[in-house]
Amino acid sequence: MSLNFVNADIAEVVKAISLITGHNFLLDPRVKGTINIISSTPVHASLAYDILLSALRMQGFAAVESGGITKVMPEADAKLNISSASDYKGSGDKLVTRIFVLKYESAVQLVPVLRPLIAPNNIVVAYPNNNTLVVTDYASNLKRIEQIVYAIDQPNAEAPVMIPIKRASAMDLAQTISRLMQDSGMPGSSGDVSQRFVLLADARTNSLLVRTDNPARLARVRELAEKLDTDTGTPGNMHVIYLKNADAVKMAQTLRSVLSGDTSAAAVPAPVASPGAPANLSSSAAAAPAGGGMIQADAASNALIITAPSAVYNNLRAVVELLDVRRAQVFVEALIAEVTADKAAEFGVQWQGLGGNGTVVAGGTNFGAGSNNIINLGASIANKAPALAPGFNIGVLRGANLAVLARALETDVNANILSTPNLLTLDNEEAKIVVGQNVPFITGSYAQTGANVTASPFQTIERKDVGLTLRIKPQVSERGTVKLQIYQEVSSVQDLNNAAGVITNKRTLETNVMVDDGQIVVLGGLIQDSVNNTANKVPILGDIPLIGGLFRYETRHRTKTNLMVFIRPYVLRTEQAYQGLTQDRYEYLRGEQQHSQLPERVILPEMPAPQFPPLSMKQDAPAASAPAVATP
């Protein structure tokens, strides 16, 4: 039959096709509009159904078969009404759902590849648990998707390949070939997955392990390995290994101890070689270990010179690779907080009775010393040089002398001190910081005695650091915990005029602790509360209620001290970590310098304070990777 529907209503066209094909249709109320279907030649009745579905798809509608009924609805809602019975059935422009179980490729990585090939209103999702893809689309398009998935989900062209090395060292060849393949400007240095490869060395079997999906690159690696796997022709089989992180002198000492079996030699530090000259061996046994070969260190180039048979050298090369790694650094921040409250109060009355011209004392009370004593104050007033102590003082003069003195004083002193010394050091390396003064202490003296003629008198002096001292040695474990050996000292000068010598206050702490990376732990401290009460009074009279205060002088003093010491370590394993930390502290100091700039004055010249220049870091080292260190 011939189909001729020009601007015909969709409902009328569906009704006509239903009569022709015998299919039952169910129209969604939102399915409205007109449709055009024209066949220049007669078509079979069975094709009229597929032609209708194609025409509906062009209008944004889709057909879903369920229970012998074809539901026509907007395309966006059709994927939610597909029944399980029609998941794998249908053809043409019917919506169906297919599940693809992948064997080799990742379903998650395949979703971005298939998404552009599927209608925007339809779905493609990945289920990672069993590596499957769920796709809902038109049946005609799913046939193409199935072919694409099958073509991609294939095993790798090449599994890992082992290339045995007979004469040379696999460790050396792996480095040489890797550097050659990456620095030669070949496609392997780009982001093309097919051109990348993995090359490792197995020291146990002296073999190269290669994995690549490009057969041409595998053949190139095989060819290079075969050409390089030859005898060097150098007598003694001498090799030079340049170290990247470890110290060559210490490494040579360790390797000689391993080969000779001398466990005590590992603990003896190796002699430091002069610049530009190899380290001298202490004995012939060290120069020729029992395992065979000779190991020397060149301190100038930080390299090892090894002369040994191939089997021994391969073992040594593997040990060097394991030991020559980047050591972690530890940034340690100590927090010393001291809060002190000092309160004192004085109250008292002193009397003095004078007769005649004030030179005869008839009686009185004298408490205190110095400027608090009524006799001293009276003499000062007589000499017209008053020396009243700070406080509230009321005096009664009799003649030219002080007869009565009433004194009251209250003091309140609070101190809040926070010190944050910090250090950056290598793992297992001790670091020390001292901030303070170098104070002289007299340790002895010599002077002339009698009529003996001797040299000029002299004193022997020893200088000591007084201030803040922090000495730390960290040890980082593989799990991120840090063992710290800590010595901390806070000292200050109390009295420089003491006849016996300088008096200093000293607080020290020495301990070993285990701390997690970035966590704060308390090391120790002092909580002290002392109260002193001193009363001077006249016997019997000073105890009389009320009026006894006229014959009593009382002093009270209370001191409360809170001192705590905390520690917080940060393990810095990468370049980005310590660069971010440096950026944080550098910018903090630049901000402090900006705040300390002198204000402008009209009559004064401009004198800008010194300031750090802006710190430029590498673009690949963001400051966000640094630990969040709280600046004081």
Coordinates of all heavy atoms in Angstrom, one line a residue, residues 380-460:
S380 N 65.8 60.8 106.0 CA 65.7 61.4 104.6 C 65.0 62.7 104.6 O 65.4 63.6 103.9 CB 65.1 60.4 103.7 OG 65.8 59.2 103.6
I381 N 63.9 62.8 105.4 CA 63.2 64.0 105.4 C 64.0 65.1 106.1 O 64.0 66.3 105.6 CB 61.8 63.8 106.1 CG1 60.9 62.9 105.3 CG2 61.1 65.1 106.4 CD1 59.7 62.5 106.0
A382 N 64.7 64.7 107.1 CA 65.6 65.7 107.8 C 66.6 66.3 106.8 O 67.0 67.4 106.9 CB 66.2 65.1 109.0
N383 N 67.1 65.4 106.0 CA 68.1 65.9 105.0 C 67.5 66.4 103.7 O 68.2 66.6 102.7 CB 69.0 64.7 104.6 CG 69.8 64.2 105.8 OD1 70.2 65.0 106.7 ND2 70.1 62.9 105.8
K384 N 66.2 66.6 103.8 CA 65.5 67.2 102.6 C 65.6 66.3 101.4 O 65.8 66.8 100.3 CB 65.9 68.6 102.4 CG 65.6 69.6 103.5 CD 66.1 71.0 103.1 CE 65.8 71.9 104.3 NZ 66.2 73.3 104.0
A385 N 65.7 65.0 101.6 CA 65.8 64.1 100.5 C 64.8 63.0 100.7 O 65.2 61.9 101.1 CB 67.2 63.6 100.3
P386 N 63.5 63.2 100.6 CA 62.5 62.2 100.9 C 62.7 61.0 99.9 O 63.0 61.2 98.8 CB 61.2 62.9 100.7 CG 61.5 64.1 99.8 CD 62.9 64.5 100.1
A387 N 62.5 59.8 100.5 CA 62.6 58.6 99.7 C 61.5 57.7 100.1 O 61.7 56.6 100.6 CB 63.9 57.9 100.0
L388 N 60.2 58.1 99.9 CA 59.1 57.3 100.2 C 59.0 56.2 99.2 O 59.2 56.4 98.0 CB 57.8 58.1 100.2 CG 57.7 59.1 101.3 CD1 56.4 60.0 101.1 CD2 57.6 58.5 102.7
A389 N 58.6 55.0 99.6 CA 58.4 53.9 98.7 C 57.1 54.0 98.0 O 56.2 54.8 98.4 CB 58.4 52.6 99.5
P390 N 57.0 53.3 96.8 CA 55.7 53.4 96.1 C 54.6 52.9 97.0 O 54.7 52.0 97.7 CB 55.9 52.6 94.9 CG 57.4 52.5 94.7 CD 58.0 52.5 96.1
G391 N 53.4 53.6 96.8 CA 52.2 53.2 97.6 C 51.6 54.4 98.2 O 51.9 55.6 97.9
F392 N 50.6 54.1 99.0 CA 49.9 55.2 99.7 C 50.5 55.4 101.1 O 50.4 54.5 101.9 CB 48.4 54.8 99.8 CG 47.5 55.9 100.5 CD1 47.2 57.0 99.9 CD2 47.1 55.7 101.8 CE1 46.4 58.0 100.5 CE2 46.3 56.6 102.5 CZ 46.0 57.8 101.8
N393 N 51.1 56.6 101.3 CA 51.8 56.9 102.6 C 51.3 58.1 103.2 O 51.1 59.2 102.5 CB 53.3 57.0 102.3 CG 54.0 55.8 101.7 OD1 54.4 54.9 102.4 ND2 54.0 55.8 100.4
I394 N 51.0 58.0 104.5 CA 50.6 59.2 105.3 C 51.6 59.3 106.4 O 51.7 58.4 107.2 CB 49.1 59.1 105.8 CG1 48.2 59.0 104.6 CG2 48.8 60.2 106.7 CD1 46.7 58.8 105.1
G395 N 52.2 60.5 106.6 CA 53.2 60.7 107.6 C 52.9 61.9 108.5 O 52.3 62.9 108.0
V396 N 53.2 61.9 109.7 CA 53.0 63.1 110.6 C 54.4 63.5 111.1 O 55.2 62.7 111.6 CB 52.2 62.7 111.9 CG1 52.1 63.9 112.8 CG2 50.8 62.2 111.4
L397 N 54.7 64.8 110.8 CA 56.0 65.3 111.2 C 56.0 66.0 112.5 O 55.1 66.7 112.9 CB 56.5 66.4 110.1 CG 56.8 65.9 108.7 CD1 57.0 67.0 107.8 CD2 58.0 64.9 108.8
R398 N 57.1 65.7 113.2 CA 57.3 66.3 114.5 C 58.6 67.0 114.5 O 59.7 66.3 114.5 CB 57.2 65.3 115.7 CG 57.4 66.0 117.0 CD 57.3 65.0 118.1 NE 57.5 65.6 119.4 CZ 57.5 64.9 120.6 NH1 57.4 63.6 120.5 NH2 57.7 65.5 121.7
G399 N 58.6 68.3 114.4 CA 59.9 69.0 114.2 C 60.3 68.7 112.8 O 59.6 69.0 111.8
A400 N 61.5 68.2 112.6 CA 62.0 67.9 111.3 C 62.1 66.4 111.1 O 62.8 65.9 110.2 CB 63.4 68.5 111.2
N401 N 61.4 65.6 111.9 CA 61.4 64.1 111.8 C 60.0 63.6 111.7 O 59.0 64.2 112.0 CB 62.1 63.5 113.0 CG 63.6 63.9 113.1 OD1 64.4 63.2 112.4 ND2 64.0 64.8 113.9
L402 N 60.0 62.4 111.2 CA 58.7 61.7 111.0 C 58.3 60.9 112.2 O 59.0 60.1 112.7 CB 58.9 60.7 109.8 CG 57.6 60.1 109.3 CD1 56.7 61.1 108.7 CD2 57.9 59.0 108.2
A403 N 57.1 61.3 112.8 CA 56.7 60.7 114.0 C 55.7 59.5 113.8 O 55.8 58.5 114.5 CB 56.0 61.7 114.9
V404 N 54.9 59.6 112.8 CA 53.9 58.5 112.5 C 53.9 58.3 111.0 O 53.9 59.3 110.2 CB 52.5 58.9 113.0 CG1 51.5 57.7 112.6 CG2 52.5 59.1 114.5
L405 N 53.9 57.0 110.6 CA 53.8 56.6 109.1 C 52.8 55.5 108.9 O 52.9 54.5 109.5 CB 55.2 56.1 108.6 CG 55.2 55.6 107.2 CD1 54.9 56.7 106.2 CD2 56.6 55.0 106.9
A406 N 51.8 55.8 108.1 CA 50.8 54.8 107.7 C 51.0 54.5 106.3 O 51.1 55.4 105.4 CB 49.4 55.4 108.0
R407 N 51.1 53.3 105.9 CA 51.4 52.9 104.6 C 50.5 51.8 104.1 O 50.2 50.8 104.8 CB 52.9 52.3 104.5 CG 53.3 51.7 103.2 CD 54.8 51.3 103.3 NE 55.1 50.4 102.1 CZ 55.3 50.9 100.9 NH1 55.2 52.2 100.6 NH2 55.6 50.0 99.9
A408 N 50.0 51.9 102.8 CA 49.2 50.9 102.1 C 49.6 50.8 100.7 O 49.9 51.8 100.0 CB 47.7 51.3 102.2
L409 N 49.8 49.5 100.2 CA 50.2 49.3 98.8 C 49.6 47.9 98.3 O 49.6 47.0 99.1 CB 51.7 49.2 98.8 CG 52.3 48.8 97.4 CD1 52.0 49.8 96.4 CD2 53.8 48.6 97.5
E410 N 49.2 47.9 97.1 CA 48.7 46.7 96.5 C 49.2 46.7 95.0 O 49.0 47.7 94.3 CB 47.1 46.6 96.5 CG 46.6 45.3 95.9 CD 45.1 45.2 96.0 OE1 44.5 46.1 96.7 OE2 44.5 44.3 95.5
T411 N 49.8 45.6 94.6 CA 50.3 45.4 93.3 C 49.7 44.2 92.6 O 49.3 43.2 93.3 CB 51.8 45.2 93.3 OG1 52.2 44.1 94.0 CG2 52.5 46.4 93.9
D412 N 49.5 44.3 91.3 CA 48.9 43.2 90.5 C 49.6 43.1 89.2 O 49.6 44.0 88.3 CB 47.4 43.5 90.3 CG 46.7 42.2 89.7 OD1 47.4 41.3 89.4 OD2 45.5 42.3 89.6
V413 N 50.4 42.0 89.0 CA 51.2 41.9 87.8 C 50.8 40.6 87.1 O 50.8 39.5 87.7 CB 52.7 41.8 88.1 CG1 53.6 41.6 86.8 CG2 53.2 43.0 88.9
N414 N 50.5 40.7 85.8 CA 50.1 39.5 85.0 C 51.0 39.4 83.8 O 51.4 40.5 83.2 CB 48.6 39.6 84.5 CG 47.6 39.6 85.6 OD1 47.7 38.8 86.5 ND2 46.7 40.5 85.6
A415 N 51.4 38.2 83.4 CA 52.3 38.0 82.3 C 51.8 36.8 81.5 O 51.4 35.8 82.0 CB 53.7 37.7 82.8
N416 N 51.7 37.0 80.1 CA 51.3 35.9 79.2 C 52.4 35.9 78.1 O 52.4 36.7 77.3 CB 49.9 36.3 78.7 CG 49.4 35.1 77.8 OD1 50.1 34.1 77.6 ND2 48.2 35.3 77.2
I417 N 53.2 34.8 78.1 CA 54.3 34.7 77.2 C 54.1 33.4 76.4 O 53.8 32.4 76.9 CB 55.6 34.6 78.0 CG1 55.8 35.8 78.9 CG2 56.8 34.4 77.0 CD1 57.0 35.7 79.8
L418 N 54.2 33.6 75.1 CA 54.1 32.5 74.1 C 55.3 32.5 73.2 O 55.6 33.4 72.5 CB 52.8 32.6 73.3 CG 52.7 31.5 72.2 CD1 52.5 30.1 72.8 CD2 51.5 31.8 71.3
S419 N 56.1 31.4 73.3 CA 57.2 31.2 72.4 C 57.0 30.0 71.5 O 56.5 29.0 71.9 CB 58.5 31.0 73.2 OG 58.7 32.0 74.1
T420 N 57.3 30.2 70.2 CA 57.1 29.1 69.3 C 58.4 28.8 68.5 O 58.5 29.2 67.3 CB 56.0 29.4 68.3 OG1 56.3 30.6 67.6 CG2 54.7 29.5 69.0
P421 N 59.4 28.3 69.1 CA 60.6 27.9 68.3 C 60.3 26.7 67.4 O 59.6 25.8 67.8 CB 61.6 27.5 69.4 CG 60.8 27.1 70.6 CD 59.5 27.9 70.5
N422 N 60.8 26.8 66.2 CA 60.6 25.7 65.3 C 61.9 25.4 64.5 O 62.7 26.2 64.3 CB 59.4 26.0 64.3 CG 59.5 27.4 63.8 OD1 60.4 27.7 63.0 ND2 58.6 28.3 64.2
L423 N 62.0 24.1 64.0 CA 63.1 23.6 63.3 C 62.7 22.7 62.2 O 61.7 22.1 62.2 CB 64.0 22.8 64.3 CG 64.8 23.6 65.3 CD1 65.5 22.6 66.3 CD2 65.9 24.4 64.6
L424 N 63.5 22.8 61.1 CA 63.4 21.8 60.0 C 64.7 21.0 59.8 O 65.7 21.6 59.7 CB 63.1 22.6 58.7 CG 63.0 21.8 57.4 CD1 61.8 20.9 57.5 CD2 62.8 22.7 56.2
T425 N 64.5 19.7 59.9 CA 65.7 18.9 59.8 C 65.4 17.6 59.1 O 64.2 17.2 58.9 CB 66.2 18.5 61.2 OG1 67.4 17.7 61.2 CG2 65.2 17.8 62.0
L426 N 66.4 16.9 58.7 CA 66.3 15.6 58.0 C 65.9 14.5 59.0 O 66.2 14.7 60.2 CB 67.6 15.2 57.3 CG 67.9 15.9 55.9 CD1 69.3 15.6 55.4 CD2 66.8 15.6 54.9
D427 N 65.3 13.5 58.5 CA 65.1 12.3 59.3 C 66.3 11.7 59.9 O 67.3 11.6 59.2 CB 64.3 11.3 58.5 CG 63.9 10.0 59.3 OD1 63.8 10.2 60.5 OD2 63.7 9.0 58.7
N428 N 66.3 11.5 61.2 CA 67.5 10.9 61.9 C 68.7 11.9 62.0 O 69.8 11.4 62.2 CB 67.9 9.6 61.3 CG 67.2 8.4 61.9 OD1 66.8 8.4 63.1 ND2 66.9 7.4 61.1
E429 N 68.5 13.2 61.8 CA 69.5 14.2 62.0 C 69.2 15.2 63.1 O 68.0 15.7 63.1 CB 69.7 14.9 60.6 CG 70.2 14.1 59.5 CD 71.7 13.6 59.7 OE1 72.4 14.2 60.5 OE2 72.1 12.7 59.0
E430 N 70.1 15.4 64.0 CA 69.8 16.3 65.1 C 69.9 17.8 64.6 O 70.8 18.1 63.8 CB 70.8 16.1 66.2 CG 70.6 16.9 67.5 CD 71.5 16.6 68.6 OE1 71.5 15.5 69.2 OE2 72.4 17.5 68.9
A431 N 69.0 18.6 65.2 CA 69.0 20.0 64.9 C 68.9 20.8 66.2 O 68.4 20.3 67.2 CB 67.8 20.4 64.0
K432 N 69.4 22.0 66.2 CA 69.5 22.8 67.4 C 69.3 24.3 67.0 O 69.8 24.8 66.0 CB 70.8 22.6 68.1 CG 71.0 23.5 69.3 CD 72.4 23.2 69.9 CE 72.6 24.1 71.2 NZ 74.0 23.9 71.8
I433 N 68.5 25.0 67.8 CA 68.3 26.4 67.7 C 68.5 27.1 69.0 O 68.0 26.5 70.1 CB 66.9 26.7 67.1 CG1 66.8 28.2 66.9 CG2 65.8 26.2 67.9 CD1 65.5 28.6 66.1
V434 N 69.2 28.2 69.1 CA 69.5 28.9 70.3 C 69.1 30.4 70.0 O 69.6 31.0 69.1 CB 70.9 28.8 70.8 CG1 71.1 29.7 72.0 CG2 71.3 27.4 71.0
V435 N 68.2 30.9 70.9 CA 67.8 32.4 70.8 C 68.0 32.9 72.2 O 67.3 32.6 73.1 CB 66.4 32.5 70.3 CG1 66.0 34.0 70.2 CG2 66.2 31.8 69.0
G436 N 69.0 33.8 72.4 CA 69.2 34.4 73.7 C 70.5 35.2 73.7 O 70.9 35.9 72.8
Q437 N 71.1 35.2 74.9 CA 72.3 36.0 75.1 C 73.5 35.0 75.5 O 73.2 33.9 76.1 CB 72.1 37.0 76.3 CG 71.1 38.1 76.0 CD 70.8 39.0 77.1 OE1 70.7 38.5 78.3 NE2 70.8 40.3 76.9
N438 N 74.7 35.5 75.3 CA 75.9 34.8 75.7 C 76.4 35.6 77.0 O 77.1 36.6 76.8 CB 76.9 34.8 74.6 CG 78.0 33.8 74.9 OD1 79.1 34.1 75.2 ND2 77.7 32.5 74.7
V439 N 76.1 35.1 78.1 CA 76.4 35.8 79.4 C 77.7 35.2 80.0 O 77.9 34.0 80.0 CB 75.2 35.6 80.4 CG1 75.5 36.3 81.7 CG2 73.9 36.0 79.8
P440 N 78.6 36.2 80.5 CA 79.8 35.7 81.1 C 79.6 35.3 82.6 O 78.9 36.0 83.3 CB 80.7 37.0 81.0 CG 79.8 38.1 81.0 CD 78.5 37.6 80.3
F441 N 80.2 34.2 83.0 CA 80.2 33.7 84.3 C 81.6 33.6 84.8 O 82.5 33.0 84.2 CB 79.6 32.3 84.4 CG 78.1 32.3 84.1 CD1 77.6 32.3 82.8 CD2 77.2 32.4 85.2 CE1 76.2 32.3 82.6 CE2 75.8 32.4 84.9 CZ 75.3 32.3 83.6
I442 N 81.9 34.3 86.0 CA 83.3 34.2 86.6 C 83.5 32.9 87.2 O 82.8 32.4 88.1 CB 83.4 35.4 87.6 CG1 83.2 36.7 87.0 CG2 84.8 35.3 88.3 CD1 83.2 37.9 88.0
T443 N 84.6 32.2 86.7 CA 84.9 30.9 87.2 C 86.1 30.9 88.2 O 86.4 29.9 88.8 CB 85.2 29.9 86.1 OG1 86.2 30.4 85.3 CG2 83.9 29.8 85.2
G444 N 86.9 32.0 88.2 CA 88.0 32.1 89.0 C 88.7 33.5 88.9 O 88.4 34.2 88.0
S445 N 89.6 33.8 89.9 CA 90.2 35.1 89.9 C 91.6 35.0 90.6 O 91.8 34.1 91.4 CB 89.3 36.2 90.6 OG 89.1 35.8 91.9
Y446 N 92.4 35.9 90.4 CA 93.8 36.0 91.0 C 94.1 37.5 91.2 O 93.9 38.3 90.4 CB 94.8 35.3 90.1 CG 96.2 35.2 90.8 CD1 96.5 34.2 91.6 CD2 97.1 36.2 90.6 CE1 97.7 34.1 92.2 CE2 98.4 36.2 91.2 CZ 98.6 35.1 92.0 OH 99.9 35.0 92.7
A447 N 94.6 37.8 92.4 CA 94.9 39.1 92.8 C 96.2 39.2 93.6 O 96.7 38.2 94.1 CB 93.7 39.7 93.6
Q448 N 96.8 40.4 93.7 CA 98.0 40.6 94.5 C 97.7 40.5 96.0 O 96.7 41.0 96.4 CB 98.6 42.0 94.1 CG 99.1 42.1 92.7 CD 99.6 43.5 92.4 OE1 99.7 44.3 93.3 NE2 100.1 43.7 91.2
T449 N 98.6 39.9 96.7 CA 98.5 39.7 98.1 C 99.8 40.3 98.8 O 100.9 39.9 98.4 CB 98.3 38.3 98.5 OG1 99.4 37.5 98.0 CG2 97.0 37.8 97.9
G450 N 99.6 41.1 99.8 CA 100.8 41.6 100.6 C 101.6 42.4 99.7 O 101.2 43.2 98.9
A451 N 103.0 42.3 100.0 CA 103.9 43.1 99.3 C 104.5 42.4 98.1 O 105.5 42.8 97.5 CB 105.1 43.6 100.3
N452 N 104.0 41.2 97.9 CA 104.6 40.4 96.8 C 104.3 41.0 95.4 O 103.2 41.5 95.2 CB 104.0 39.0 96.8 CG 104.4 38.2 98.0 OD1 105.5 38.5 98.6 ND2 103.6 37.3 98.5
V453 N 105.3 41.1 94.6 CA 105.1 41.6 93.3 C 104.7 40.5 92.3 O 105.5 39.6 92.1 CB 106.4 42.3 92.8 CG1 106.1 42.9 91.4 CG2 106.8 43.4 93.8
T454 N 103.5 40.6 91.9 CA 103.0 39.5 90.9 C 102.4 40.2 89.7 O 102.3 41.5 89.6 CB 101.9 38.7 91.6 OG1 100.8 39.5 92.0 CG2 102.4 38.0 92.8
A455 N 101.9 39.4 88.8 CA 101.3 39.9 87.6 C 100.0 40.6 88.0 O 99.5 40.6 89.1 CB 101.0 38.8 86.6
S456 N 99.4 41.4 87.0 CA 98.2 42.1 87.3 C 97.1 41.2 87.6 O 97.0 40.0 87.1 CB 97.8 42.9 86.0 OG 98.9 43.8 85.7
P457 N 96.2 41.6 88.5 CA 95.0 40.7 88.9 C 94.2 40.4 87.6 O 94.1 41.2 86.7 CB 94.3 41.6 89.9 CG 95.2 42.6 90.4 CD 96.2 42.9 89.3
F458 N 93.6 39.2 87.6 CA 92.8 38.8 86.5 C 91.7 37.9 87.0 O 91.7 37.4 88.1 CB 93.7 38.1 85.4 CG 94.3 36.8 85.9 CD1 93.6 35.6 85.7 CD2 95.5 36.8 86.5 CE1 94.1 34.4 86.1 CE2 96.0 35.5 86.9 CZ 95.3 34.4 86.7
Q459 N 90.8 37.7 86.1 CA 89.6 36.8 86.3 C 89.5 35.8 85.1 O 89.7 36.2 84.0 CB 88.3 37.6 86.5 CG 88.3 38.4 87.8 CD 87.0 39.2 87.9 OE1 86.4 39.5 86.9 NE2 86.6 39.5 89.1
T460 N 89.1 34.6 85.4 CA 88.7 33.7 84.4 C 87.2 33.6 84.2 O 86.5 33.6 85.2 CB 89.2 32.3 84.7 OG1 88.7 31.8 85.9 CG2 90.8 32.3 84.8

